[in-house]
Amino acid sequence: MGELRAFLAHRDAVGGLLLVTLVFFSALAFTVLENAMSVVFHHRVQIRSRHFLVSAALPYLFVLLLGAGFLVVSVVFGALESLARRGADVFGVERSLEPVARLLFYLLGVIGEVAMLTAIYLVMPVGRLSLRHALFGGVTAGLLWELTRHGLVWY
């Protein structure tokens, strides 16, 4: 508890340090992912290479985009949660909207996951990838991720 109090007492200094650390390690993770994608799309790297400054700025722009996406999702989740607390009058019978909100929470999460994976497929490989192919890869990876997640939860 003492360490937590010390942390909270110096949250301004620690917050800045944690932000710098987050951005630095996000850039490292992005670089590792970019290198892995260049192995998969090796034929594109031979044809066209990305300028160093673009590769250096891309992780920060991508993290900003993901942060904006998380902000939008948080606002939408807040609206859905307030919807779940309300009831609906269906033919004179008061019904809870909690099951509908729970389904919308799950579907919004899966859509966000697919959008993030599609964005990774669009941005990571060197060269242009069509939106159709990136969306197909994002949907496939997202559905496989969800199937694996549900299988592990069941197991």
Side-chain angles (χ1 to χ4, degrees):
M1 291 304 289
E3 293 297 323
L4 183 58
R5 276 190 214 102
F7 179 79
L8 290 175
H10 298 81
R11 75 176 116 202
D12 293 336
V14 174
L17 178 68
L18 289 178
L19 179 65
V20 169
T21 305
L22 173 73
V23 169
F24 175 73
F25 284 110
S26 296
L28 278 179
F30 198 86
T31 302
V32 168
L33 193 56
E34 186 178 29
N35 290 338
M37 285 285 210
S38 70
V39 170
V40 173
F41 295 102
H42 183 66
H43 61 284
R44 290 176 187 240
V45 175
Q46 290 176 344
I47 297 170
R48 176 188 299 167
S49 65
R50 190 179 282 161
H51 192 273
F52 170 74
L53 292 176
V54 173
S55 290
L58 207 53
Y60 302 110
L61 295 173
F62 198 74
V63 167
L64 282 174
L65 179 69
L66 284 178
F70 283 136
L71 179 65
V72 168
V73 166
S74 297
V75 169
V76 171
F77 274 154
L80 284 176
E81 192 167 338
S82 71
L83 177 72
R85 292 187 183 139
R86 294 183 183 164
D89 188 23
V90 180
F91 301 117
V93 179
E94 186 70 23
R95 300 280 181 177
S96 171
L97 292 177
E98 187 176 344
V100 174
R102 193 177 315 131
L103 176 67
L104 288 174
F105 278 149
Y106 180 74
L107 289 177
L108 187 63
V110 170
I111 289 169
E113 180 182 338
V114 166
M116 182 186 66
L117 290 167
T118 301
I120 288 173
Y121 281 122
L122 275 174
V123 171
M124 295 307 291
V126 175
R128 296 295 305 157
L129 188 65
S130 71
L131 179 61
R132 193 177 107 213
H133 289 132
L135 187 61
F136 181 75
V139 168
T140 302
L143 291 179
L144 288 173
W145 184 276
E146 284 299 308
L147 285 172
T148 303
R149 188 175 67 85
H150 286 289
L152 288 173
V153 166
W154 172 80
Y155 178 72

